[in-house]
Amino acid sequence: MSKYSGKLLGYLPILAFFGYWVYACLICAALTREPRMLKLGIITTPLLAVMAAAALKTARSKKDR
Amino acid sequence: MSINRQLTGSEKRAAAVIGTTLSVIVFFSTILHHIFPWVLKVQPCTGVPYTGYIDMFLLDLIPIAMGAVCFYHAARTMGLYKTMMFLGGVFFFSGLVENAWILLGRNHLLGLISAQLKDVTGTYFFTRGFFWWGEMPAAICVGWFFITYACVYMLDVLAPKANIWFRAAMAGLLAMDFDLWLDPVQVHPAWQSWTWVSNETIKILSIPFSNFAGWFLFVFLFSLAFDRLQRITDRWGAGKGAWLFFLLLLGLKLCLVGTLMICGGAAMRYVSPPVNLTIWGI
């Protein structure tokens, strides 16, 4: 458990935020049954880009260690 | 990466006081909201979906789970004392700001503070929540905790050497970007997680502009304050440092509410007809 959580540790805040984005924005938007609410998600592209960049940098820093 | 050192006595006391205070406030607020709704004039949630107790409890568990993940990360990397300061600070900061905003609007008290706000019809209120923190669902406070924590963390990862002002501003912009989708979705008739009753003259995606300004300012100011915590505790110790940190948050909170009121008042006075920047009619 500790080895597994140790490997994952650096990603946890990003995963938590991404998980909430999936639930509170993506799934809830889909459940409104209005395509325009889903399309509005494009507005959060910068946030997703930052999440991806942070995850990539975390992965690289683990590889370098 | 992990911090294994033992907490000092005053760190333990500060963490215990924060944890106990949070639990007591949530316990009494929850009872007040559900059993004595007339005390705080809780708005009826007729027609709001998912307001059964089981639904509300299960929906609360989602942000609480995300919060637990970030709490674990924070405790492993910063230690329990700083984690409790972050959690307690966010609850205190967001709780007082949002409760003040909700209750001032609900009781039509904004006009007493500034004549320019006398025509404001209200602010907003939350409809759904099992656990409460005043008139704000505790799950929303938990949301503030992990969103602020994750935004600050991602900026620390991506720009560790950048100036704190830059990192705090970028973290604030990230949180605001998230809310640009979150708010329109959550106020949609299919969800109605909160309801805007504001007649503010500047809106973005039909949501009052002050909301987005509030998101930016909240994360920006809290990041700046939390960055000072180490220096405060180095100088004043864990116990007195905790009080000073919360005092700093109180000052920043007054700045935040004051800024929103000044900008809101100016917008009410000078922006006519009202402006609403929409995309696809949202």
Side-chain angles (χ1 to χ4, degrees):
Chain A
M1 173 69 188
S2 65
K3 189 181 162 193
Y4 183 63
S5 63
K7 271 185 186 170
L8 266 181
L9 191 67
Y11 301 101
L12 289 183
I14 307 165
L15 283 174
F17 196 9
F18 180 70
Y20 195 64
W21 177 89
V22 169
Y23 155 67
C25 295
L26 189 64
I27 294 175
C28 289
L31 290 174
T32 64
R33 294 166 192 266
E34 278 195 45
R36 63 185 186 143
M37 295 307 286
L38 265 175
K39 279 198 291 182
L40 187 62
I42 200 157
I43 216 159
T44 59
T45 308
L47 172 66
L48 290 178
V50 168
M51 282 181 187
L56 275 173
K57 195 167 176 193
T58 306
R60 274 200 200 133
S61 70
K62 281 187 189 293
K63 212 184 262 179
D64 292 344
R65 230 180 280 156
Chain B
M1 195 172 185
S2 64
I3 290 185
N4 292 318
R5 75 169 178 83
Q6 291 284 318
L7 292 181
T8 64
S10 54
E11 283 178 341
K12 267 187 199 164
R13 268 194 303 279
V17 167
I18 291 170
T20 310
T21 309
L22 294 186
S23 309
V24 168
I25 295 179
V26 168
F27 178 75
F28 284 107
S29 297
T30 302
I31 289 178
L32 204 61
H33 183 89
H34 293 301
I35 303 176
F36 307 104
W38 62 88
V39 175
L40 291 173
K41 301 182 194 166
V42 173
Q43 307 290 303
C45 44
T46 320
V48 177
Y50 314 114
T51 45
Y53 284 113
I54 294 174
D55 292 336
M56 292 194 295
F57 181 77
L58 292 176
L59 287 173
D60 273 10
L61 290 184
I62 297 169
I64 288 171
M66 309 302 178
V69 167
C70 284
F71 187 91
Y72 174 76
H73 179 271
R76 285 281 305 270
T77 55
M78 304 193 296
L80 187 63
Y81 171 72
K82 276 191 170 180
T83 303
M84 288 304 287
M85 294 296 282
F86 200 107
L87 179 73
V90 166
F91 262 72
F92 176 70
F93 197 30
S94 68
L96 281 191
V97 169
E98 294 223 40
N99 273 296
W101 214 233
I102 291 166
L103 294 172
L104 284 171
R106 181 176 298 172
N107 296 294
H108 306 288
L109 296 173
L110 287 165
L112 292 180
I113 297 167
S114 164
Q116 289 182 348
L117 295 170
K118 69 178 176 358
D119 297 327
V120 173
T121 50
T123 49
Y124 63 99
F125 61 90
F126 290 98
T127 57
R128 186 188 304 120
F130 187 86
F131 300 107
W132 288 79
W133 172 265
E135 263 304 272
M136 170 185 187
I140 299 285
C141 288
V142 176
W144 277 118
F145 165 69
F146 72 77
I147 289 169
T148 307
Y149 184 78
C151 288
V152 170
Y153 173 74
M154 288 192 293
L155 262 299
D156 283 349
V157 167
L158 290 173
K161 289 178 184 162
N163 182 304
I164 179 61
W165 290 84
F166 172 79
R167 278 183 287 141
M170 291 307 291
L173 286 175
L174 279 184
M176 191 181 73
D177 184 40
F178 173 67
D179 191 53
L180 281 168
W181 196 16
L182 176 78
D183 227 290
V185 168
Q186 292 297 327
V187 300
H188 186 276
W191 289 98
Q192 300 176 54
S193 301
W194 51 88
T195 301
W196 288 100
V197 285
S198 166
N199 60 338
E200 269 187 56
T201 47
I202 304 179
K203 292 187 177 178
I204 296 175
L205 303 169
S206 306
I207 306 294
F209 172 73
S210 63
N211 168 69
F212 299 113
W215 269 75
F216 170 77
L217 285 173
F218 178 92
V219 176
F220 174 67
L221 293 174
F222 188 85
S223 309
L224 290 180
F226 194 73
D227 185 66
R228 304 292 300 182
L229 178 64
Q230 187 65 52
R231 267 170 276 182
I232 293 172
T233 51
D234 283 349
R235 183 164 180 191
W236 299 96
K240 204 182 260 184
W243 284 107
L244 289 172
F245 176 66
F246 279 86
L247 209 59
L248 174 64
L249 288 180
L250 184 64
L252 291 175
K253 193 182 331 245
L254 292 173
C255 289
L256 195 159
V257 173
T259 305
L260 292 180
M261 279 184 175
I262 291 166
C263 295
M268 288 297 286
R269 185 166 178 184
Y270 299 113
V271 180
S272 181
V275 177
N276 187 8
L277 303 173
T278 64
I279 305 175
W280 303 304
I282 295 171

